[in-house]
Amino acid sequence: MDITNMFPKNACSLDGAGSLGWTWAEYFEKKKELGEKVVLVDMIGYPVTGSIPLSNELLNGQYPKETIFVLYCHSGGSSGALQKRLTPQYKEYTFVNLLGGIGQYPR
C-alpha cells in the first residue's frame, strides 16, 4: 500500500468531514504534554517547525505503538479523509486531523 496515493494531493477532500481532529492550539498543548509521542505529519510539502513529511516509512514500525500522528494538509479535508482511512488499518497508532490545515497555522 502506498500511503501517498490514499488522498488527493492538490484538492481538499470532502471525505474528511467527521474525522477526529485537533486545532493548532490543541496540537501545541498535546505536543508539550506528550512530547515525542505526538508526531506532526506534513502531507502537502509545506513543512513547518517540527513536522516530518508523509511517507510509507511512517507505518513500518519505526514509531512505537501508541504514537499519535497529527496529519495536516491545506484545509483539513484531505488529512481528515486519510485519518479516517488509516485508523481502522493501524489500530496501534492514533491518527488526528489538524483542523483548518496549514491555512490555520499560527504565524
Side-chain angles (χ1 to χ4, degrees):
M1 168 184 67
D2 184 353
I3 195 171
T4 62
N5 289 328
M6 295 180 73
F7 64 96
K9 310 270 182 308
N10 295 316
C12 295
S13 172
L14 298 177
D15 297 335
S19 62
L20 169 65
W22 290 349
T23 63
W24 280 99
E26 290 170 312
Y27 160 74
F28 289 120
E29 287 174 24
K30 294 289 186 182
K31 183 67 176 175
K32 186 175 179 180
E33 177 185 330
L34 300 172
E36 298 210 2
K37 184 176 178 181
V38 176
V39 177
L40 183 61
V41 181
D42 171 18
M43 294 176 48
I44 55 174
Y46 194 102
V48 297
T49 302
S51 69
I52 61 169
L54 179 70
S55 70
N56 292 317
E57 288 73 39
L58 284 179
L59 306 174
N60 70 2
Q62 87 181 57
Y63 290 94
K65 291 180 180 180
E66 301 182 6
T67 295
I68 302 168
F69 292 107
V70 182
L71 310 168
Y72 73 88
C73 64
H74 294 286
S75 70
S78 294
S79 52
L82 185 60
Q83 180 265 322
K84 288 168 56 178
R85 295 174 104 189
L86 292 175
T87 294
Q89 293 182 41
Y90 296 93
K91 295 182 187 301
E92 67 272 27
Y93 301 119
T94 299
F95 298 92
V96 176
N97 174 26
L98 201 51
L99 301 171
I102 198 66
Q104 295 297 314
Y105 182 69
R107 309 212 188 273

